[in-house]
Amino acid sequence: MHIVRRLLLPLLALLGILSAVPVQAEEMPTFTLVMRAGRFLPETIEVPANTKFRLLVKNEGPGAEEFESVELRKEKVLAPGASSFLIFQPLKPGTYKFFGEFHPATAQGRIVAK
Ligand SMILES: [Cu+2]
């Protein structure tokens, strides 16, 4: 359902990496999200509001999984055993849902910005 965005995302991701300054990356708060057996661990991630942050995503499998947030306009497909990261621009206080597109019935989570 996101073929067009899937084609654009690698380019956008590349631009994001190239424009990231290492010093900023070091200072950026980082949170880890594990995908395992069709679920997210943890299902709720609390982040500081109004602060750019990084989300490390690890797929422990089995099978592929896709982190997706419609509200946050983020998605990342990961093969089993793969890990990657997403950079989030500062969020206003609130709750932002995400889901695993390959297991939408069970893989549900939220980022809570406070
Ligand atoms: Cu998708």
Side-chain angles (χ1 to χ4, degrees):
M1 84 187 196
H2 298 100
I3 290 169
V4 173
R5 280 203 284 149
R6 249 174 221 159
L7 294 173
L8 291 173
L9 279 169
L11 176 60
L12 294 175
L14 181 63
L15 292 171
I17 290 164
L18 292 176
S19 64
V21 177
V23 171
Q24 289 178 342
E26 292 301 321
E27 293 170 353
M28 203 183 306
T30 298
F31 301 90
T32 300
L33 178 66
V34 172
M35 304 155 154
R36 185 191 301 152
R39 292 187 179 276
F40 289 117
L41 301 166
E43 291 184 337
T44 300
I45 298 173
E46 251 186 51
V47 304
N50 307 311
T51 306
K52 191 173 176 178
F53 67 94
R54 174 172 39 199
L55 185 67
L56 293 176
V57 284
K58 300 180 180 179
N59 181 8
E60 295 186 349
E65 185 57 280
E66 178 176 1
F67 172 95
E68 173 142 4
S69 174
V70 177
E71 296 168 86
L72 296 169
R73 297 181 189 166
K74 294 282 189 195
E75 58 184 346
K76 178 75 77 178
V77 180
L78 289 178
S83 60
S84 186
F85 67 90
L86 294 155
I87 302 294
F88 290 77
Q89 296 304 315
L91 297 177
K92 293 176 186 169
T95 298
Y96 304 87
K97 291 179 185 171
F98 59 82
F99 65 99
E101 196 163 13
F102 291 16
H103 304 89
T106 54
Q108 295 283 339
R110 60 207 68 79
I111 292 171
V112 179
K114 287 186 176 177

